[in-house]
């Protein structure tokens, strides 16, 4: 599922104007050799809830198929957009959220809902010497909390008796 999540975020980031190959996994510390702007992803723990709901019921002459939801899974992803230009970051964050789809289908055909929960703007504090601000590097970031929700489903197939004959003779 993490591959689908990363692919969905990459598509939205490229559509919003992030250069190619700038969506990466989170690094341990800020590395000056990595190009900015970039988007760093951190996958947080998943939440699994047992549901057991029936989603679909289909019946034919030969069989009965019941599709049920076993679990509802929620994955939170921290998407940190690192930049060095205030105007670019403001334009990109708006375009990024607008480019995020409402959801996508996974490889099993189940709907994966995508939501941007909240965003936090970050800027390093000023280094001051007296009244002067010393700024070697100008770095800013926007941290998005994205939530991906999907289902774990199962299909139960039950064979039916298509025809039968009742013998009523008492021989």
């Amino acid at each position: 599922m993490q591959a689908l999540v990363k692919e969905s975020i990459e598509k939205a980031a490229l559509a919003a104007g992030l250069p190619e190959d700038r969506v990466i996994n989170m690094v341990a510390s800020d590395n000056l050799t990595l190009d900015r702007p970039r988007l760093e992803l951190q996958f947080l723990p998943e939440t699994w809830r047992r549901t057991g709901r029936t989603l679909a019921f289909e019946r034919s002459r030969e069989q009965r198929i019941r599709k049920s939801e076993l679990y509802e899974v929620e994955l939170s992803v921290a998407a940190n957009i690192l930049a060095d230009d205030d105007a670019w970051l403001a334009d990109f964050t708006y375009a990024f959220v607008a480019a995020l789809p409402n959801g996508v289908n996974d490889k099993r055909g189940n709907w994966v809902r995508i939501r941007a929960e909240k965003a936090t703007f970050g800027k390093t504090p000023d280094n001051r010497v007296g009244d002067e601000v010393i700024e070697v590097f100008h770095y800013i970031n926007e941290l998005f909390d994205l939530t991906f929700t999907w289902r774990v489903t199962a299909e139960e197939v039950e064979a039916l008796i298509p025809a039968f004959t009742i013998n009523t003779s008492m021989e």
Side-chain angles (χ1 to χ4, degrees), residues 51-171:
T51 58
R53 291 187 284 230
T54 299
L55 299 175
F57 192 77
E58 182 181 330
R59 184 178 175 153
S60 66
R61 291 186 59 86
E62 295 83 25
Q63 64 185 3
R64 182 170 57 187
I65 302 172
R66 186 177 130 215
K67 184 174 182 178
S68 58
E69 175 186 68
L70 303 176
Y71 288 93
E72 183 180 66
V73 185
E74 191 172 282
L75 171 65
S76 295
V77 177
N80 194 7
I81 303 163
L82 300 155
D84 49 12
D85 182 17
D86 293 335
W88 183 89
L89 183 64
D91 293 339
F92 177 79
T93 55
Y94 184 84
F96 174 68
V97 173
L100 271 175
N102 291 336
V104 294
N105 286 326
D106 65 3
K107 64 182 178 183
R108 294 172 196 90
N110 293 325
W111 182 251
V112 179
R113 186 175 65 202
I114 302 171
R115 288 190 327 246
E117 296 289 332
K118 63 181 178 177
T120 307
F121 179 78
K123 186 176 181 181
T124 56
D126 291 338
N127 291 328
R128 292 188 174 270
V129 176
D131 293 337
E132 297 295 319
V133 175
I134 299 172
E135 190 172 51
V136 179
F137 299 107
H138 178 72
Y139 290 146
I140 55 174
N141 71 315
E142 186 93 20
L143 177 66
F144 280 95
D145 290 337
L146 305 175
T147 303
F148 292 78
T149 308
W150 69 91
R151 298 175 167 151
V152 175
T153 59
E155 283 191 3
E156 202 176 290
V157 178
E158 184 178 345
L160 300 176
I161 302 171
F164 58 91
T165 304
I166 299 175
N167 188 0
T168 59
S169 66
M170 301 297 278
E171 300 170 14

